[in-house]
Amino acid sequence: METWDAIRSRRNVRAFADRPIDGPHLDRILEAARRTPSSMNQQAWDFVLVTDPAALERLSGVWRYAEHVAGSAATIALVAPATRDPDERETIQFDLGQAAMSVMLAAADLGIGTCHSAVGDLALARDLLGLPEDRDCMWLVALGYPRGRALAPIERPDRRAFDDVVHRERWAGPTSAVEASRGP
Ligand SMILES: Cc1cc2nc3c(=O)[nH]c(=O)nc-3n(C[C@H](O)[C@H](O)[C@H](O)COP(=O)(O)O)c2cc1C
């Protein structure tokens, strides 16, 4: 898939087909995570891949909106150093957000759907994943081929209008690139 098509096709998929994802494709998705940029290149992350159906079922219990994890072909747990430092937390969260998006776009490129999940029960997630005490599972990204509608570019995404979110030069600047190029 073209990059632009992958960006426009990605959507959160919560119902997955009963079809495994090939190992090389999973590795490519994990490699996309590894290549993600991070603040000062600190790479304060680890990625735990879970594919065992019984383990996925248990993992879906870490958050009330993580039911889709149970039916996924695989789920990647985004793990980071446990910290109470608010600055460190903020940086880690930004970096993990970028890693999540790398995973999602690499998956979309292969026609594989993804869905985020938060983690409510950190202790349960640590136990299920066998994490050391100094690591937290911050997010889950479930993966699988969509059950039903395949990934395809979404013409009208459920998003705020372009001119509502895009500001050129200044907050109340011109709303189009053509207007902006004319100058003040
Ligand atoms: C930080 C973050 C946390 C999210 N947590 C969950 C979640 O716990 N469970 C879930 O089903 N979806 C979760 N989502 C998915 C969002 O609801 C979804 O991205 C949003 O509704 C837009 O839909 P789309 O991704 O299909 O465009 C999360 C998304 C983000 C960015």
Side-chain angles (χ1 to χ4, degrees):
M1 204 185 273
E2 292 288 329
T3 306
W4 181 231
D5 282 346
I7 289 170
R8 293 185 303 150
S9 300
R10 186 220 57 83
R11 66 176 198 271
N12 264 282
V13 173
R14 296 184 176 83
F16 301 104
D18 186 15
R19 174 183 168 191
I21 301 171
D22 289 345
H25 285 172
L26 286 173
D27 283 352
R28 189 205 280 197
I29 291 166
L30 289 160
E31 174 66 2
R34 187 180 78 92
R35 285 174 179 255
T36 302
S38 61
S39 172
M40 294 186 293
N41 202 25
Q42 61 186 0
Q43 306 166 68
W45 52 43
D46 288 272
F47 308 105
V48 182
L49 177 70
V50 181
T51 56
D52 174 57
L56 290 166
E57 175 73 40
R58 288 191 291 272
L59 198 55
S60 72
V62 301
W63 177 236
R64 60 202 287 213
Y65 301 116
E67 284 171 16
H68 52 273
V69 167
S72 66
T75 287
I76 298 173
L78 309 188
V79 173
T83 175
R84 290 183 187 280
D85 180 308
D87 291 340
E88 199 181 351
R89 267 188 97 82
E90 192 175 318
T91 303
I92 286 174
Q93 288 288 24
F94 185 90
D95 292 347
L96 291 183
Q98 298 205 111
M101 197 62 188
S102 296
V103 163
M104 293 183 149
L105 289 180
D109 178 57
L110 296 165
I112 295 166
T114 50
C115 187
H116 313 78
S117 172
V119 177
D121 191 336
L122 288 175
L124 177 60
R126 181 181 292 120
D127 184 39
L128 292 174
L129 297 168
L131 305 181
E133 282 297 314
D134 62 350
R135 293 290 192 283
D136 278 334
C137 174
M138 309 298 284
W139 301 98
L140 301 173
V141 180
L143 304 140
Y145 291 94
R147 176 155 26 103
R149 193 162 53 101
L151 293 188
I154 299 167
E155 294 306 326
R156 277 188 291 280
D158 178 16
R159 293 294 188 266
R160 289 167 55 201
F162 187 89
D163 288 342
D164 192 30
V165 296
V166 177
H167 306 259
R168 301 183 196 266
E169 318 299 343
R170 291 168 57 76
W171 184 260
T175 56
S176 78
V178 176
E179 267 182 83
S181 68
R182 283 196 203 111

